[in-house]
Amino acid sequence: MSKSGVRRQLRTLLVANRGEIACRVMRTARRLGMRTIAIYSDADIDALHVRVADAAVRVGPAPARASYLDIDAVMRAARDSGADAIHPGYGFLSQNADFADACTAAGIVFVGPSGKAMRAMGRKDEAKALMSAAGVPVVPGWQGDDQSDTTLIREAERVGFPLLVKAIAGGGGKGMRAVRSAAELPEALSAARGEAARAFGDGRLLLERLIESPRHVEVQVIADRHGHCLHLHERDCSLQRRYQKVIEECPAPGLSPALRERLHDAAVRAAKAAGYENAGTVEFIVAGDDGWFLEMNTRLQVEHPVTEAVLGIDLVEWQLRVASGEPLPPPPAPPRGHAFEARVYAEDPRNGYLPAGGRVEVMRWPDSDVRVDAAVEEGDRVVTDYDALLAKVIVHAATREAALQHLETALLACRVEGVTTNLAALVALARDADFRAGRMTTGLIDARSDALLPDLAAQRERAAQLAAAALLAPTGTESVDPWAAKDSWRVQGIRETHVRFVVPGTGFSVIAAAPGITENPVPGTNSSTHVAVFPDEVRVWLDGEFFRFARVAHGAPAEAVSSGGQVLAPMPGAVLEMRVAEGERVSRGQALVVLEAMKMEHTLRAPTSGRVSSIDVHAGQRVREGERLLSIEEESAG
């Protein structure tokens, strides 16, 4: 990118990314009158960012290295589409100096810093040396060319334990190990070196003193080519899981005015030392009233909307204007109020946060006073080839306390069915006493682990009770005459109706006032609960988790209980008949197995369409509740 003062009008912008950030960048670009170009892999041919762009270009097959990370393919797409600028978003090629250089060589504006600035801040050892020379405080440690275990062990003794072994390249916690004693060091060096080599192609390491129970505070900066550099205040990103941010806020709570000013000043000095241009983030480790440089992210951050919310600006617009050669505007007014962002991921918090895929059956977001930057829409398929981020929920209020309450309310109003999400974990975090008091550290989530979530058995029982109550609640059309009621009413005592649902580990009875079916909220529920009744099942959304209950009554057919394509026995019983064969294609609702249980026959039906990939039982066999009967490989879209 030319560093001259000549301004260049940008007309066509290619977004070299996918998901919510691609959609978000395009939204601003269109408002500024620019034509937008999407790129996509074979896995994303029908993705939301492709649909909202003015045009889209295929860049390769599903693997990222063969598509979104293929510099030649992305540059070819830019040339073929007539793009005069490329916005890299975050992730993928956003911090790839060779990509920035390729744009410059092709005469295409790269909306970000130069390749030289990226290289200056991209390697942690070189960045720390540069920061030290610029007077920016850095965590004590060691970095050097001699990567032998002998040298690293000797220097570790000098730095002192506990310490961090860190890869000099990359980020996201890869190639990083905490070491608390000399005995742990050799294994940590081997593991960190191997992980870094696989992730970044560079296995070199550095050592840093481990700051116990720190906070993660970052400062947003932006610089133009005319010598101006501004800080846009700070964010707290301490709520992390395995070094991946989960909830962020702006401004950072509990900082002394002196520390806040020191961090802002250090961030600007860091950007100037690197010869930086465009938007970037300088990250710090904070403990007490001290802060040390961690790293610089030479791109737009995922959490940038909280800065936008309190300052009333559009950071992507500022990026585009700076990239076109415009000088920065005057600094914005001081932060107004408080903002939070929660990242909604397609992952299972009750199963080690493993990524989840599938088709989004239902997607509901909060009302218009909440900003939602979404990556998918209802009906879309979530793939597991890339980052699992579904959406970001952003709230803003006058005070931190009000914003926290707004966040909890907003998260409870979210509903995603068909794909497992981390919404239950986000709700639990929003309610966490330490977080609400501002006592969070980077280790809070990992330390709490499964204890963050409510007990699964209790939640499942509550959901089943709500499902049964909805099934039996009055619809408003029934007669109030007890002699006309078709239930178990009796003269002495209340009417009691027992409902059994098919779900491993459950079987509940409830007492209700009258029979009926409803799709409305049932008594005792609130905005965090939604119950919908269907002919053969009841679906319950409770505190960010989705429960599906198949009904069992009078031998009526029931949908099979499924888990990741495995069809499970809903109750103990005997297999009377297998209605399908291995390799057979089945449709949702098709009869699969006839099971005898509780002196009744139950026909289990397919929960999804697909191909029977395996059959694990045979006629006459007795099965336990939850035992796998067969597996269905779900058919791909299209």
Side-chain angles (χ1 to χ4, degrees), residues 442-463:
T442 56
L444 185 149
I445 296 177
D446 290 334
R448 300 280 176 81
S449 189
D450 294 341
L452 271 175
L453 294 169
D455 179 72
L456 177 58
Q459 285 292 91
R460 183 180 284 161
E461 181 171 354
R462 170 66 173 154

Side-chain angles (χ1 to χ4, degrees), residues 342-587:
R343 304 188 190 188
V344 181
Y345 287 107
E347 61 185 13
D348 188 353
R350 294 195 184 275
N351 190 24
Y353 289 87
L354 290 176
R359 188 174 299 282
V360 179
E361 298 175 4
V362 175
M363 179 168 279
R364 300 287 184 270
W365 300 118
D367 295 333
S368 57
D369 65 337
V370 177
R371 172 177 167 179
V372 177
D373 288 1
V376 296
E377 291 181 332
E378 192 170 292
D380 286 351
R381 177 169 292 279
V382 176
V383 298
T384 56
D385 302 86
Y386 315 113
D387 184 82
L389 186 64
L390 292 180
K392 303 181 307 193
V393 176
I394 304 104
V395 300
H396 179 235
T399 65
R400 186 176 190 268
E401 183 179 13
L404 266 172
Q405 188 56 53
H406 196 9
L407 176 66
E408 181 182 348
T409 302
L411 291 172
L412 289 172
C414 298
R415 183 156 58 96
V416 180
E417 297 178 14
V419 178
T420 303
T421 73
N422 67 329
L423 274 165
L426 294 176
V427 169
L429 283 170
R431 293 170 170 171
D432 182 80
D434 284 337
F435 177 43
R436 297 186 79 90
R439 296 191 299 265
M440 59 281 187
T441 69
T442 56
L444 185 149
I445 296 177
D446 290 334
R448 300 280 176 81
S449 189
D450 294 341
L452 271 175
L453 294 169
D455 179 72
L456 177 58
Q459 285 292 91
R460 183 180 284 161
E461 181 171 354
R462 170 66 173 154
Q465 290 169 344
L466 291 171
L471 192 65
L472 301 173
T475 63
T477 60
E478 294 85 359
S479 169
V480 296
D481 180 0
W483 304 108
K486 300 177 181 179
D487 64 358
S488 53
W489 181 87
R490 54 199 174 110
V491 175
Q492 294 178 333
I494 57 177
R495 293 175 289 168
E496 181 176 331
T497 302
H498 293 265
V499 177
R500 175 157 177 91
F501 291 118
V502 178
V503 65
T506 64
F508 302 101
S509 296
V510 300
I511 297 172
I517 294 178
T518 180
E519 290 191 11
N520 300 315
V522 297
T525 67
N526 53 40
S527 61
S528 69
T529 304
H530 179 89
V531 183
V533 177
F534 297 89
D536 59 352
E537 69 177 11
V538 184
R539 301 177 183 178
V540 179
W541 181 260
L542 175 63
D543 289 345
E545 290 188 279
F546 177 59
F547 298 88
R548 170 179 274 160
F549 300 99
R551 296 170 59 187
V552 177
H554 308 301
E559 180 176 291
V561 178
S562 64
S563 174
Q566 300 180 58
V567 176
L568 313 177
M571 65 200 77
V575 178
L576 292 183
E577 183 182 358
M578 295 297 303
R579 294 280 183 87
V580 293
E582 190 167 320
E584 182 177 343
R585 293 192 175 277
V586 296
S587 302

Side-chain angles (χ1 to χ4, degrees), residues 9-13 25-37 54 84 314 316-317 320-321:
Q9 185 174 1
L10 305 181
R11 301 182 182 277
T12 301
L13 179 71
V25 170
M26 291 176 193
R27 188 164 60 245
T28 292
R30 281 195 301 273
R31 181 171 59 77
L32 297 177
M34 300 176 68
R35 179 171 171 259
T36 58
I37 309 296
D54 294 313
D84 50 19
D314 183 332
V316 173
E317 179 178 349
L320 293 170
R321 293 192 182 281

Side-chain angles (χ1 to χ4, degrees), residues 213-229:
S213 302
R215 290 172 59 186
H216 182 126
V217 178
E218 61 188 30
V219 178
Q220 177 71 59
V221 295
I222 190 164
D224 62 23
R225 68 187 60 171
H226 306 282
H228 308 122
C229 182

